[in-house]
Amino acid sequence: MGRRLRDGRGVLVVHGELGDVPVPLEIAASYRARTKGLLGRDGVDGAMLLTPAGGVHTFRMRMPIDVAHLDRGLRVIAVGTMKPGRLGMPRLRSRHVLEAEAGVMAGWGLAVGVRVSVEVD
């Protein structure tokens, strides 16, 4: 990634089989923002990037979420869906975690091996 991200908004670009798919992105880079994540929300517009992060949980969440673990080069190393009240296992080599509403990542073409990029506003 090269540069250190800060809390804020941006665009996630999924470079997959569907071409370059832009997705609205919230960036949670501070400890406080990563700790809060999607807790207490009923939905999210696009995705949230937790950075740095190796794993997530869904305790106190109101909705199931898709979770994608990214390596240092922003390549997807694991994708899954988590129901509320679960503890996800940390992934070896995971440096960033993407969270989104359950079911949407497949529509973006996000799968293991796909590279993403982050454009900051």
Side-chain angles (χ1 to χ4, degrees):
M1 187 153 53
R3 67 185 189 284
R4 190 150 175 112
L5 295 172
R6 298 178 188 259
D7 293 346
R9 297 198 173 273
V11 175
L12 175 77
V13 181
V14 179
H15 306 285
E17 291 183 7
L18 303 175
D20 291 348
V21 177
V23 177
L25 182 68
E26 291 181 51
I27 301 167
S30 68
Y31 175 78
R32 180 178 218 153
R34 287 191 317 268
T35 302
K36 182 168 186 209
L38 296 177
L39 297 177
R41 294 191 190 187
D42 293 321
V44 60
D45 179 29
M48 177 174 277
L49 176 68
L50 307 174
T51 182
V56 295
H57 67 82
T58 57
F59 299 120
R60 297 185 0 231
M61 283 200 181
R62 297 178 181 169
M63 61 185 173
I65 61 171
D66 280 349
V67 176
H69 294 265
L70 310 174
D71 68 10
R72 188 178 313 268
L74 297 180
R75 189 165 302 277
V76 179
I77 58 175
V79 181
T81 300
M82 293 178 66
K83 295 178 182 178
R86 305 285 195 253
L87 176 63
M89 296 298 294
R91 300 288 179 156
L92 191 63
R93 296 185 7 249
S94 178
R95 297 295 180 265
H96 318 279
V97 176
L98 275 174
E99 296 179 339
E101 288 187 37
V104 300
M105 288 186 180
W108 302 335
L110 199 82
V112 173
V114 168
R115 191 178 61 80
V116 301
S117 60
V118 175
E119 298 173 0
V120 180
D121 291 343

